[in-house]
Amino acid sequence: MHIEQGPIRPPSEAASLLIRVTRNCPWNKCAFCSTYKGEKFSRRPVEDVLRDVDTVRQVSEQVMQISWSKGLGGKISSEVVNESGARYGHLHYHVASWLYYGGRSVFLQDANSLLLKTSDLVKVIEYIRAAFPTVERVTTYARADTAARKNEDDYLALRNAGLARIHMGMESGSDIVLKMVKKGITANQLIQAAHKIKGAGISLCWYIMPGLGGKEHAREHALETARVINAGNPDYVRFRTLSVLKGTPLYDMAQSGIFTVPGEDDMVEEQRLIIQSLDGVTTTIVSDHMLNLLQELEGTLPADRDTMLDIIDRYLALPEDAKNNYQLGRRAGIYLKLDDMQNKNRYNYVQGLLSQIGGPENIKKELARIRRGFV
Ligand code: SF4
């Protein structure tokens, strides 16, 4: 048994069933992105998507049979998940894992599902919810230009069908930066899309990329990003710190000197300026991407603003050698948060790694190499 699935999903959708409704990205020009390079965008026929949902239902029945055969009465344990994968392969493992987490959430792939006709998307969402009554929320990615073109009735129909959240790559609120990285959207489109989506009662999550303005536009990037967040008041803002990948146009821009990649501290300072400049919003900040140095930087505005600024200030106040220690410890998975440095064993272990790597230039290169591996 087989269904078609795309390559990515947001980190927060790890427990979601992945159903592909379109293939790849219709824009595919962002200077920092290599996810769909060389791949052509297409809409999948609705019947094919519905057939995939039927296949998932058959797979879930086989997973249930494994549970019953173990005397678990339909309960999905980690043992059932592992056996489903071992006996039948990846799709069964994926579906069993989804059921293990309650079968509550479904993510529609790939990069811009709103390009489907609203009536087709409604049909898919309703079909999924009829097939799996446990599903509480269906979510998807959308580009701001497409999202701004949909009207209020489209969003109401989608919300009524069960679309609960839209994940959107904002990257920056600065039109200068958006143009420089060929994002193909504007600050105004982001704000329009936010008002329509939130107006219909659909949750909105924006992804922003500290570092994307380069050193050249760092301040503009941070201040305009805060301005657009203030105007759109998304439910969530997720940081996803820049990592410049070889083979992307942004890498070439950096090589030719048009774009200067900011250092870790520069990008943390941008985060500080963004959070400090947020005003009148009730947004929750999330930093759950591996690329973020300060993954503990989370909270809801306005109540948690000072706590978040305090985390940033504690990091920025560290002496240089402690910053190196923290950066390597985080990147190597030894620390999750700043307080983990207080553990002497871990701290000394990281110091040992640092001395093996050598001087500051080698450390910088090694940290950049590890970060590239996270994308
Ligand atoms: S819109 Fe998203 S998926 Fe498409 S190229 Fe840009 S970042 Fe990549």
Side-chain angles (χ1 to χ4, degrees):
M1 278 190 251
H2 171 78
I3 68 167
E4 190 173 323
Q5 291 184 314
I8 61 163
R9 51 144 179 89
S12 59
E13 301 291 344
S16 297
L17 173 70
L18 305 180
I19 297 287
R20 193 178 211 187
V21 297
T22 65
R23 301 184 181 96
N24 311 311
C25 173
W27 176 248
N28 219 358
K29 293 180 192 157
C30 297
F32 54 87
C33 174
S34 62
T35 308
Y36 300 106
K37 282 289 173 270
E39 303 292 338
K40 221 170 142 247
F41 173 80
S42 63
R43 294 167 176 82
R44 293 190 69 211
V46 173
E47 315 78 69
D48 290 3
V49 179
L50 302 188
R51 203 172 307 121
D52 279 357
V53 177
D54 290 340
T55 301
V56 172
R57 197 166 38 193
Q58 288 162 21
V59 169
S60 72
E61 282 162 10
Q62 286 181 324
V63 169
M64 288 303 223
Q65 276 165 18
I66 292 178
S67 165
W68 282 99
S69 73
K70 291 184 173 300
L72 294 173
K75 186 175 175 293
I76 309 300
S77 64
S78 55
E79 198 192 343
V80 173
V81 174
N82 290 333
E83 184 158 339
S84 299
R87 205 187 286 185
Y88 297 109
H90 172 74
L91 178 60
H92 284 71
Y93 184 84
H94 174 59
V95 172
S97 304
W98 175 61
L99 294 172
Y100 174 81
Y101 287 111
R104 282 194 276 271
S105 150
V106 176
F107 178 74
L108 304 179
Q109 297 174 303
D110 281 334
N112 192 12
S113 307
L114 292 190
L115 269 185
L116 282 189
K117 279 201 296 198
T118 299
S119 55
D120 285 349
L121 212 41
V122 164
K123 198 189 263 182
V124 168
I125 296 169
E126 285 177 343
Y127 198 81
I128 290 169
R129 298 195 68 201
F132 299 103
T134 52
V135 171
E136 292 167 0
R137 55 173 214 142
V138 178
T139 67
T140 194
Y141 275 135
R143 276 178 53 80
D145 54 343
T146 311
R149 281 200 303 271
K150 291 259 182 206
N151 63 37
E152 280 77 5
D153 289 344
D154 289 318
Y155 286 113
L156 282 176
L158 291 167
R159 200 270 322 266
N160 289 338
L163 186 70
R165 177 169 302 155
I166 292 179
H167 298 269
M168 186 178 287
M170 170 191 187
E171 326 304 353
S172 175
S174 158
D175 282 330
I176 294 173
V177 175
L178 289 169
K179 198 166 172 199
M180 177 181 76
V181 301
K182 297 196 169 51
K183 180 72 192 176
I185 61 169
T186 63
N188 270 343
Q189 286 171 333
L190 282 159
I191 295 167
Q192 276 174 33
H195 290 167
K196 289 180 183 176
I197 291 166
K198 291 203 62 189
I202 298 172
S203 166
L204 175 64
C205 176
W206 272 345
Y207 290 76
I208 62 178
M209 197 174 274
L212 193 62
K215 286 203 177 195
E216 293 78 6
H217 301 294
R219 193 172 165 78
E220 149 90 19
H221 173 44
L223 290 176
E224 282 297 284
T225 297
R227 180 184 72 79
V228 174
I229 295 171
N230 287 341
N233 192 19
D235 301 273
Y236 294 91
V237 157
R238 285 190 145 82
F239 285 121
R240 182 195 177 282
T241 303
L242 174 72
S243 175
V244 180
L245 292 178
K246 267 190 187 158
T248 59
L250 196 61
Y251 182 85
D252 297 337
M253 286 161 70
Q255 292 299 105
S256 66
I258 307 169
F259 179 89
T260 312
V261 183
E264 290 269 27
D265 287 10
D266 301 322
M267 296 193 274
V268 171
E269 277 173 15
E270 278 178 27
Q271 289 177 302
R272 191 184 199 294
L273 188 52
I274 292 169
I275 293 172
Q276 187 188 18
S277 309
L278 294 180
D279 187 20
V281 294
T282 50
T283 302
T284 296
I285 304 280
V286 186
S287 297
D288 54 357
H289 199 283
M290 285 289 281
L291 280 167
N292 297 319
L293 185 63
L294 300 174
Q295 255 187 309
E296 64 194 290
L297 197 60
E298 303 211 332
T300 300
L301 291 153
D304 299 325
R305 180 203 315 272
D306 289 347
T307 310
M308 290 189 278
L309 292 178
D310 183 58
I311 291 166
I312 292 176
D313 290 343
R314 277 173 55 210
Y315 167 76
L316 290 173
L318 291 174
E320 212 51 44
D321 58 337
K323 275 184 184 159
N324 284 338
N325 182 291
Y326 180 69
Q327 287 180 21
L328 185 63
R330 263 285 298 125
R331 298 312 187 194
I334 295 158
Y335 303 141
L336 281 177
K337 50 190 190 311
L338 286 170
D339 280 347
D340 292 344
M341 292 173 80
Q342 304 304 322
N343 180 315
K344 280 286 155 227
N345 287 340
R346 289 200 220 175
Y347 188 90
N348 290 336
Y349 177 71
V350 179
Q351 283 302 103
L353 295 178
L354 280 170
S355 56
Q356 281 170 32
I357 294 170
E361 271 314 304
N362 285 354
I363 292 170
K364 223 190 258 176
K365 276 189 201 149
E366 180 61 13
L367 287 168
R369 190 193 62 77
I370 299 174
R371 280 174 41 196
R372 281 197 298 277
F374 290 157
V375 185

